[in-house]
């Protein structure tokens, strides 16, 4: 048995008596959430009552015996101050993200598995004004929004007869009829990407979502691929134009060797140049090396680029100071 502590997996001095013992525990867990696991259905991915994610896989698919993975989430979501104290982000980056959410920019949070995308999305959602109607769409409910006017939607797998499945794409289409001020998609992973981009381009500003990717550029490539999964024969240039006009900001996270999750890049999408989506990096994490204790040495830097949406935020009453971007006021009189 292994547990994750400080971002790293380590063994603990607890063992199951046998494969049959573990299989019995798996069966009791999945039965409690109305699911079943046996040779005809040897995989289960479900959400427990406390919000934890559980995944189980048994023989014949698991060659060395049954395997159970449980991802638990803290009851109290991490605040911006705690993330700053952990060295995951800086106060300047938080101020930019807070202004971006309040100013109704569409933000895409990208990163690998376990890099902290949902944690950051929880933090960002906290900046949404309490008087706005929020609809969240998740494959497995993990978000912990505190706003009073929140409607939470969750997908449903097919039953034993192979019927009754409700996909994220179905929920995205339905939520557009629910008069949302904000749409928060826990993770986009398929054809719902097209409906989400369409919503962002047709008046639903300030939407938030996450996806798996290793860099901001890769995130746009994955988004393009997922739009193609919707089944429409669209030219690549049209898809990229949709992405460039829908997404304003890409926030890239990474879980690094020392177990820490860090925001390694914040990039603005500028638009199109030919068939290429152009991006500008606003903040980056510059890595210098690893110390004797295995901790990564580095620093967060502002690139000096003033984002193009700075004036748009100012029109919404959000005046981000130029010091955030490590530059002086370009309109100051000398």
């Amino acid at each position: 048995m292994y547990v994750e502590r400080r971002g790293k997996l380590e063994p603990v001095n607890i063992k199951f008596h046998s494969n049959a013992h573990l299989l019995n525990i798996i069966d009791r867990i999945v039965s409690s959430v109305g699911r079943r696991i046996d040779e005809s259905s040897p995989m289960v991915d479900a959400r427990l009552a406390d919000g934890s994610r559980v995944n189980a896989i048994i023989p014949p698919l698991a060659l060395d015996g049954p395997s159970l993975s449980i991802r638990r989430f803290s009851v109290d979501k991490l605040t911006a101050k705690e993330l700053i104290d952990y060295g995951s982000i800086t106060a300047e980056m938080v101020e930019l993200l807070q202004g971006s959410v309040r100013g109704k920019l569409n933000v895409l949070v990208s990163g690998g598995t376990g890099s902290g995308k949902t944690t950051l999305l929880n933090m960002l959602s906290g900046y949404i004004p309490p008087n706005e109607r929020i609809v969240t769409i998740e494959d497995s409910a993990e978000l912990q929004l505190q706003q009073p006017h929140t409607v939470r939607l969750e997908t449903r797998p097919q039953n034993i007869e192979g019927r009754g499945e409700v996909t994220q794409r179905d929920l995205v289409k339905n939520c557009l009829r629910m008069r949302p001020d904000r749409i928060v998609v826990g993770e986009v992973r398929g054809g719902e990407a097209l409906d989400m981009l369409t919503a962002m381009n047709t008046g639903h500003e300030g939407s938030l979502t996450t996806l798996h990717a290793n860099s901001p550029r890769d995130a746009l490539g994955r988004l393009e691929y997922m739009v193609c999964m919707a089944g429409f024969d669209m030219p690549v240039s049209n898809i990229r134009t949709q992405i460039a006009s829908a997404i304003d900001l890409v926030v890239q996270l990474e879980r690094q060797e020392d177990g820490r999750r860090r925001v390694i890049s914040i990039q603005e999408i500028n638009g199109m140049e030919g068939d290429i989506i152009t991006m500008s990096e606003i903040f980056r994490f510059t890595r210098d090396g690893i110390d004797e204790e295995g901790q990564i040495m580095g620093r967060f830097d502002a690139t000096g680029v003033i984002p193009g949406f700075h004036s748009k935020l100012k029109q919404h009453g959000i005046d981000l100071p130029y010091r955030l971007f490590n530059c002086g006021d370009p309109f100051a009189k000398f």
Side-chain angles (χ1 to χ4, degrees):
M1 188 180 293
Y2 292 80
V3 298
E4 181 181 320
R5 293 192 179 108
R6 296 175 291 277
K8 293 185 177 182
L9 288 173
E10 56 186 59
V12 293
N13 192 27
I14 302 173
K15 292 184 178 180
F16 296 101
H17 301 311
S18 62
N19 282 343
H21 180 209
L22 176 54
L23 193 57
N24 183 46
I25 290 174
I26 291 174
D27 189 55
R28 290 171 59 188
I29 290 175
V30 300
S31 297
S32 68
V33 292
R35 306 287 288 278
R36 70 165 192 169
I37 188 165
D38 51 35
E39 285 192 7
S40 62
S41 178
M43 291 187 298
V44 167
D45 186 57
R47 177 176 57 87
L48 301 182
D50 65 351
S52 300
R53 289 280 299 275
V54 59
N55 179 276
I57 184 166
I58 65 173
L61 301 185
L63 300 181
D64 299 321
S67 176
L68 176 67
S69 304
I70 298 176
R71 295 177 61 195
R72 293 188 65 239
F73 301 94
S74 59
V75 177
D76 299 320
K77 64 179 183 179
L78 292 175
T79 63
K81 182 180 183 307
E82 289 172 319
L83 292 177
I84 293 171
D85 293 341
Y86 291 153
S88 298
I89 198 170
T90 65
E92 291 77 15
M93 296 161 80
V94 168
E95 191 171 348
L96 171 68
L97 294 176
Q98 180 179 4
S100 300
V101 174
R102 288 175 51 213
K104 288 198 166 186
L105 299 185
N106 294 321
V107 181
L108 174 65
V109 180
S110 166
T113 302
S115 59
K117 299 186 296 298
T118 302
T119 298
L120 185 66
L121 194 62
N122 271 322
M123 185 197 83
L124 295 179
S125 66
Y127 300 132
I128 299 175
N131 62 332
E132 295 190 10
R133 177 175 170 84
I134 307 168
V135 178
T136 69
I137 299 166
E138 298 177 84
D139 188 49
S140 185
E142 299 173 0
L143 295 174
Q144 302 170 351
L145 274 65
Q146 307 300 317
Q147 284 83 349
H149 200 170
T150 301
V151 181
R152 303 171 70 209
L153 307 180
E154 185 180 39
T155 62
R156 185 177 68 184
Q158 61 186 18
N159 58 21
I160 299 173
E161 289 79 24
R163 300 176 181 174
E165 181 182 18
V166 179
T167 65
Q168 282 202 126
R169 188 168 189 195
D170 297 328
L171 295 180
V172 171
K173 289 179 179 178
N174 184 77
C175 88
L176 298 178
R177 305 183 182 101
M178 299 172 65
R179 197 239 172 258
D181 289 311
R182 306 269 187 152
I183 300 173
V184 181
V185 182
E187 181 187 333
V188 60
R189 59 179 69 191
E192 69 273 7
L194 175 60
D195 302 288
M196 183 192 69
L197 292 176
T198 303
M200 290 177 175
N201 280 321
T202 53
H204 294 90
E205 297 178 317
S207 298
L208 307 171
T209 188
T210 74
L211 59 73
H212 284 84
N214 294 326
S215 71
R217 178 63 62 182
D218 289 345
L220 300 187
R222 277 215 70 209
L223 201 55
E224 182 182 320
Y225 168 72
M226 287 186 287
V227 170
C228 295
M229 292 172 63
F232 295 101
D233 188 15
M234 295 175 60
V236 172
S237 58
N238 288 6
I239 297 175
R240 291 177 180 172
T241 301
Q242 285 276 323
I243 294 173
S245 59
I247 306 294
D248 297 299
L249 204 62
V250 181
V251 183
Q252 183 68 35
L253 289 131
E254 183 176 283
R255 180 175 61 176
Q256 300 179 317
E257 297 95 312
D258 57 0
R260 291 177 183 264
R261 281 88 165 169
R262 293 183 175 91
V263 178
I264 62 169
S265 181
I266 298 178
Q267 298 196 23
E268 176 193 18
I269 295 182
N270 305 117
M272 297 283 294
E273 283 189 8
D275 288 338
I276 305 298
I277 300 174
T278 58
M279 307 176 74
S280 298
E281 192 165 43
I282 305 170
F283 288 98
R284 70 164 68 98
F285 177 74
T286 303
R287 182 168 169 163
D288 297 326
I290 300 178
D291 63 17
E292 296 177 353
E293 297 179 353
Q295 299 297 310
I296 291 178
M297 298 182 296
R299 64 191 184 279
F300 294 98
D301 294 321
T303 62
V305 174
I306 300 174
F309 54 72
H310 186 273
S311 57
K312 177 183 177 181
L313 295 183
K314 198 168 186 178
Q315 293 169 3
H316 283 78
I318 303 165
D319 192 5
L320 296 176
Y322 290 104
R323 61 171 175 78
L324 294 182
F325 313 109
N326 197 23
C327 63
D329 187 346
F331 303 105
K333 294 181 180 180
F334 295 95

